[in-house]
């Protein structure tokens, strides 16, 4: 199982980015997938998750209305559309997969077994 996140970069406040996370080695349509982020000196934070077969979505309060999570199971790819980015969104963003089937997704990191290496998002003020 491998996860590879991409799409990070440097943007100005108010800008947009679209992160992608490509999974390989298995078909992930039944699994919950999530985005996490970690800023320097801060704990890892769950940003958003989407359930297997898109059963549910969850967003942390600080990104509601600005970020949209989606998945393309045919492409084994997870997305995070990030609009109106703010300096506090600056972090290393990770995707992760929970292979427990049949439960709604959450943003608790202890539920996720496989993690990608992350992609850096930097928002300048």
């Amino acid at each position: 199982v491998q996860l590879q996140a991409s799409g990070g970069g440097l943007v100005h406040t108010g800008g947009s980015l679209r992160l992608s996370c490509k999974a390989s080695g298995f078909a992930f349509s039944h699994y919950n997938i999530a985005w996490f982020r970690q800023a320097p000196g801060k704990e890892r934070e769950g940003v958003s998750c989407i359930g297997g077969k898109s059963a549910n979505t969850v967003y942390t309060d600080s990104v509601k209305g600005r970020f949209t999570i989606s998945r393309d199971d045919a492409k084994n790819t997870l997305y995070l559309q990030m609009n109106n980015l703010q300096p506090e969104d600056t972090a290393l963003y990770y995707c992760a997969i929970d292979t427990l089937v049949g439960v709604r997704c959450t943003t608790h990191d202890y539920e996720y077994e496989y993690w990608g290496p992350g992609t850096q998002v930097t928002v300048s003020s």
Side-chain angles (χ1 to χ4, degrees), residues 40-111:
K42 294 188 177 181
E43 293 187 355
R44 186 165 58 195
E45 173 190 27
V47 176
S48 181
C49 70
I50 184 166
K53 299 295 187 181
S54 300
N56 72 303
T57 58
V58 175
Y59 296 92
T60 193
D61 286 346
S62 63
V63 308
K64 285 179 181 177
R66 300 189 298 122
F67 291 10
T68 302
I69 193 169
S70 62
R71 61 193 296 164
D72 185 336
D73 291 338
K75 296 182 178 179
N76 258 21
T77 302
L78 171 71
Y79 302 100
L80 186 68
Q81 177 66 43
M82 305 187 295
N83 298 328
N84 191 22
L85 283 160
Q86 303 296 311
E88 53 266 35
D89 296 317
T90 295
L92 189 62
Y93 283 71
Y94 302 88
C95 55
I97 289 184
D98 171 12
T99 58
L100 181 61
V101 177
V103 297
R104 296 171 71 83
C105 75
T106 76
T107 54
H108 300 309
D109 59 2
Y110 55 78
E111 296 185 350

